[in-house]
Amino acid sequence: MIVALINLYFIFTDKEFSKKVKKVNPIYYALFASVAFTGILVLGINQFHVTHTVYLMILVWMVIFIMSMKLFKKYKYGTPDEYRAFAKKKYIIDIVLIGATMGLVYAI
């Protein structure tokens, strides 16, 4: 969540956000992949016992993953203004989804 906040800060405040986001995005996606890998390991340790919280985490992970692919497409083929607008929405949604998931999972 901290890396998403850093990306969001760069996108909102910096005119030359592209260079900074290029440096931070690999960290974001590496952490994202490590969370998925750790989740798979923990699921295996729990003998693949899937609860509603696991379904919620998988759903949130898939939404963030699909939005990340769309963001990369905007970066590769779109204009910087399109990228900036979509990136703002994406990172805000990421932060809300991660925060809500953590709140729901740890509240139960």
Side-chain angles (χ1 to χ4, degrees), residues 61-90:
W61 190 89
M62 290 300 294
V63 168
I64 292 172
F65 184 69
I66 291 168
M67 287 180 63
S68 296
M69 289 189 296
K70 288 183 180 184
L71 182 66
F72 180 74
K73 210 172 186 182
K74 293 276 186 192
Y75 177 74
K76 189 91 169 162
Y77 302 113
T79 64
D81 292 332
E82 289 175 349
Y83 174 80
R84 184 185 290 249
F86 189 75
K88 286 178 185 178
K89 292 175 195 172
K90 183 221 181 289

Side-chain angles (χ1 to χ4, degrees), residues 34-101:
S34 67
V35 165
F37 182 70
T38 304
I40 291 169
L41 290 176
V42 170
L43 191 60
I45 290 169
N46 290 332
Q47 299 175 350
F48 294 98
H49 178 69
V50 181
T51 62
H52 61 285
T53 57
V54 173
Y55 284 124
L56 177 66
M57 286 188 254
I58 291 171
L59 177 69
V60 168
W61 190 89
M62 290 300 294
V63 168
I64 292 172
F65 184 69
I66 291 168
M67 287 180 63
S68 296
M69 289 189 296
K70 288 183 180 184
L71 182 66
F72 180 74
K73 210 172 186 182
K74 293 276 186 192
Y75 177 74
K76 189 91 169 162
Y77 302 113
T79 64
D81 292 332
E82 289 175 349
Y83 174 80
R84 184 185 290 249
F86 189 75
K88 286 178 185 178
K89 292 175 195 172
K90 183 221 181 289
Y91 288 120
I92 289 171
I93 290 171
D94 286 0
I95 292 166
V96 168
L97 284 175
I98 292 169
T101 303

Side-chain angles (χ1 to χ4, degrees), residues 5 10 27 60 96:
L5 286 170
F10 287 148
I27 297 168
V60 168
V96 168

